[in-house]
Amino acid sequence: MVHPAVGQLLQLLPTPPDGGDALDWGRVHAEFGWRLPGDYRDFVAAYGMGTINETLTIVTPPPSDYPFVHHLLYGRTYPPADGLLLWGATDYADDFYWRCTDSDPDRWTVAVRSRTHGWHDYPLGMADFLVNLLSGKIKPALHAGLGIEQQATFESWREEARQAREADELGSFS
């Protein structure tokens, strides 16, 4: 059964043509020492590593055959000394983190670091945050201090996702 927020996200943002990434989460935990939130694991299964409209990049742990060094957990030990784990970033140099202050990853919340307006916290998990962002309930320019360019980008994501759903075309996650 898919996490409820990921189910909502699937209504807002169609999956990529090739689907998501199948990761061995037991291997990830054994190799890197991290347990990751259930909504994130379901997101990765549905969408995999990629970007939303080539603007917001979502990072993942490495699949077993991943040829590159840099990935979600590269150089990160659990628990993180700074209490943060980066899971996404925009082309505008805004970063999306989990606040890993609870031993239960399903209780981690989202923190956004805007390059121009500092930090803003959301009492939401990653998938709920994305649902609220893409549905317009979170207005980045007003709440997180993100710039007007980002607000226009998020508005275009919502419009493209709506059009893709209506036309039953391929989505905008790649």
Side-chain angles (χ1 to χ4, degrees):
M1 174 169 237
V2 69
H3 188 279
V6 174
Q8 291 176 323
L9 195 56
L10 289 166
Q11 299 301 311
L12 294 170
L13 182 68
T15 58
D18 297 337
D21 292 329
L23 292 178
D24 178 347
W25 295 105
R27 180 194 62 83
V28 169
H29 178 69
E31 190 172 333
F32 300 103
W34 287 83
R35 287 183 320 124
L36 297 166
D39 65 334
Y40 174 76
R41 293 188 312 265
D42 287 349
F43 177 92
V44 170
Y47 294 97
M49 179 186 329
T51 62
I52 298 174
N53 284 23
E54 299 178 12
T55 304
L56 172 59
T57 299
I58 308 294
V59 293
T60 66
S64 58
D65 60 346
Y66 193 69
F68 306 105
V69 174
H70 294 280
H71 54 78
L72 175 75
L73 302 173
Y74 176 74
R76 300 295 298 182
T77 58
Y78 184 83
D82 60 3
L84 297 168
L85 180 61
L86 179 77
W87 57 264
T90 70
D91 287 353
Y92 303 105
D94 300 309
D95 296 324
F96 297 79
Y97 293 88
W98 283 296
R99 288 215 182 264
C100 310
T101 55
D102 194 297
S103 61
D104 180 354
D106 289 324
R107 291 197 284 249
W108 294 351
T109 59
V110 172
V112 177
R113 186 195 57 79
S114 166
R115 80 180 161 144
T116 56
H117 293 94
W119 290 92
H120 190 80
D121 287 277
Y122 293 90
L124 303 166
M126 177 255 201
D128 278 319
F129 174 81
L130 290 175
V131 165
N132 281 277
L133 185 66
L134 293 172
S135 67
K137 293 177 184 168
I138 292 175
K139 303 280 190 200
L142 300 175
H143 297 284
L146 301 179
I148 197 69
E149 319 76 48
Q150 291 93 329
Q151 181 64 34
T153 298
F154 296 132
E155 293 295 334
S156 75
W157 292 355
R158 286 190 283 277
E159 180 59 20
E160 287 180 29
R162 184 190 64 75
Q163 289 174 3
R165 283 191 313 277
E166 287 178 1
D168 197 32
E169 297 173 352
L170 296 177
S172 59
F173 190 88
S174 58

